[in-house]
Amino acid sequence: MSEPTQVAIVGAGPAGLVLSHLLHLQGIESVILESRSREYVEKRIRAGLLEQRTVDLLISTGVGERLKREAMVHTGLNFQFEGERHRIPLDELTPGRNVTIYGQQEVVKDLIAARLAAGGVIHFEAAVESIQGLEGSRPVVRYRQNGTLVELEADYVAGCDGFHGVCRGAVANPKVYEKVYPFAWLGILAQVAPSCDELIYARHERGFALHTMRTPKLTRLYLQCPVEDSIEQWSDDRIWSELRTRLNIPGWSLADGPVVDKGITEMRSFVHEPMQHGRLFLAGDSAHIVPPTGAKGMNLAISDARVLAAAFIAHYKSGNQQLLERYTADCLPRVWRAQHFSWWWTTLFHRFEDEDAAFQQQLQVSQLRYMLSSRPALTSMAENYVGLERVV
Ligand code: RFL
Ligand code: PHB
């Protein structure tokens, strides 16, 4: 048995760490249980694009010092089709709002450091196996650490354990909405300066490609690839050659460098309703995932954590249960907005092999051209891309 706590948090990803941090700022105790080692979660390469409100939250709650020094603010993005590149000024369209490039693992590192410096408890290599008593007043989380089964008692449990976690399974009679895409993303991190100051989303007849970055010395690149491909089929040379084919335009070239990380990610849209059951509340990828094209997953995970923290604070500070009761209803509008944007942005740039592929390709080009000719259409894209302040 370990020391009881107020909120047991499963998972030290962005959702669990932000939740624990926000609760701490209001004097509410939590314990985080994370199945992986600290080193592993701090090195896991994933997201990189933060919405304006995510950045604002991290800075306003005191975990944005390194972010302010090291992150790269982007006031625009590029999209490319039919061999031409077009820059979209996000700051002019939204107005004054931007996106920021700062690796998810850097956000995770900053949050872990802040939690530990404040005396917070994070048990690493502590894999949760089951949760009991969610319908009673004192749920118990069972986790395994160093081969021993340990019990943690809490008032509430926050399931922030990602898409492959165990918490979602405890929600009775869920409704699941899902779409699996017939392609995957091959992502690399390369030790070379970005070849363009901003992101490039490229629609190409051979498939989608994305040029993004992590730092002034590290470029991140993605390629659409068949879902059945394994990483062994993609030598570094083949990856660079395919990236060049899909990203090149006259007068510009893609610089290459040593590949320091590479992997293939499946693409899925998924929503699990409700996001709560008794004393369990799900946040982030444990309740919903989006294809990475729209760069919304981590932002959504942090947004859920913010909503859940406000509900716990209302409960502990003023005995108000209402926000906890309506947690799912308060999260879902933003979840579905991000689902729509991510699905739409994915369908706009990827190559589909369906029966009506030729028809879809014409629709893609028509929509991209329309956006370039219509400020309202471009503004709608831009406000979703930088992240809506309010979603109803
Ligand atoms: P995480 O980050 O998966 O964290 C869950 C944590 O729970 C742990 N865990 C357990 N711990 C204890 N017991 C168990 N039984 C456990 N089971 C699991 C796991 O080890 C892990 O540490 O979920 P969270 O916090 O909800 O955060 C979600 C984000 O990680 C995810 O949505 C983003 O990475 C998605 N994403 C992007 N999001 C953005 O907002 N902007 C982007 O630019 C962006 N790009 C991306 C992405 C995801 C990608 N991949 C690899 C899926 C690009 C890619 C390629
Ligand atoms: C990333 O930097 O990993 C990234 C950026 C934008 C996206 C997706 C991924 O749309």
Side-chain angles (χ1 to χ4, degrees), residues 90-140:
L90 293 169
D91 56 343
E92 279 173 31
L93 290 160
T94 52
R97 295 170 72 76
N98 301 310
V99 292
T100 295
I101 289 288
Y102 190 64
Q104 175 168 328
Q105 75 277 20
E106 307 305 326
V107 174
V108 163
K109 267 186 225 162
D110 295 345
L111 286 162
I112 290 176
R115 288 309 297 118
L116 297 180
V121 181
I122 309 177
H123 294 300
F124 289 100
E125 297 178 78
V128 170
E129 296 190 351
S130 66
I131 312 167
Q132 253 86 48
L134 286 170
E135 278 135 55
S137 60
R138 244 9 230 163
V140 174

Side-chain angles (χ1 to χ4, degrees), residues 80-364:
Q80 186 169 314
F81 64 105
E82 295 187 311
E84 284 184 24
R85 187 170 297 167
H86 307 268
R87 180 175 189 272
I88 314 299
L90 293 169
D91 56 343
E92 279 173 31
L93 290 160
T94 52
R97 295 170 72 76
N98 301 310
V99 292
T100 295
I101 289 288
Y102 190 64
Q104 175 168 328
Q105 75 277 20
E106 307 305 326
V107 174
V108 163
K109 267 186 225 162
D110 295 345
L111 286 162
I112 290 176
R115 288 309 297 118
L116 297 180
V121 181
I122 309 177
H123 294 300
F124 289 100
E125 297 178 78
V128 170
E129 296 190 351
S130 66
I131 312 167
Q132 253 86 48
L134 286 170
E135 278 135 55
S137 60
R138 244 9 230 163
V140 174
V141 181
R142 295 212 168 86
Y143 65 96
R144 193 168 293 278
Q145 201 170 25
N146 300 321
T148 311
L149 204 56
V150 188
E151 291 192 345
L152 170 65
E153 214 182 86
D155 299 339
Y156 292 98
V157 181
C160 305
D161 50 347
F163 185 63
H164 301 287
V166 295
C167 292
R168 189 169 66 238
V171 177
N173 305 315
K175 184 152 178 54
V176 170
Y177 301 86
E178 189 168 29
K179 179 174 173 61
V180 181
Y181 296 82
F183 41 74
W185 267 23
L186 189 165
I188 62 164
L189 187 68
Q191 266 169 349
V192 58
S195 301
C196 174
D197 291 344
E198 293 175 332
L199 272 60
I200 308 166
Y201 290 86
R203 176 195 175 277
H204 189 275
E205 60 195 18
R206 294 179 61 85
F208 172 72
L210 171 62
H211 167 279
T212 170
M213 62 202 70
R214 287 293 175 271
T215 69
K217 293 184 178 154
L218 281 176
T219 306
R220 178 93 166 133
L221 296 140
Y222 297 104
L223 277 176
Q224 173 184 355
C225 71
V227 74
E228 55 282 353
D229 276 13
S230 67
I231 202 68
E232 292 71 38
Q233 288 168 264
W234 287 88
S235 66
D236 293 359
D237 283 350
R238 180 175 173 208
I239 295 172
W240 287 114
S241 149
E242 196 61 37
L243 283 166
R244 278 209 179 90
T245 305
R246 298 188 197 180
L247 284 167
N248 262 6
I249 50 163
W252 180 86
S253 62
L254 177 68
D256 60 26
V259 174
V260 289
D261 186 87
K262 64 178 173 181
I264 291 182
T265 311
E266 60 160 12
M267 314 263 288
R268 189 189 295 266
S269 303
F270 172 88
V271 180
H272 180 280
E273 296 181 11
M275 290 168 60
Q276 63 196 92
H277 176 80
R279 288 180 173 259
L280 170 70
F281 296 85
L282 304 176
D285 278 15
S286 70
H288 41 73
I289 52 170
V290 284
T293 330
K296 291 288 172 226
M298 172 171 52
N299 293 294
L300 215 45
I302 291 177
S303 181
D304 287 352
R306 181 204 295 247
V307 177
L308 186 53
F312 281 135
I313 292 163
H315 163 74
Y316 284 109
K317 297 282 170 188
S318 46
N320 178 353
Q321 286 296 111
Q322 273 177 2
L323 293 188
L324 281 175
E325 282 161 13
R326 18 177 260 247
Y327 169 68
T328 299
D330 284 348
C331 288
L332 284 179
R334 181 174 294 278
V335 168
W336 279 108
R337 184 88 297 279
Q339 288 292 350
H340 180 272
F341 179 75
S342 303
W343 161 82
W344 175 70
W345 202 234
T346 301
T347 54
L348 205 49
F349 286 101
H350 287 74
R351 181 189 156 87
F352 287 80
E353 309 273 356
D354 314 359
E355 279 165 32
D356 61 353
F359 181 75
Q360 289 199 36
Q361 282 163 24
Q362 297 301 322
L363 294 182
Q364 290 175 332

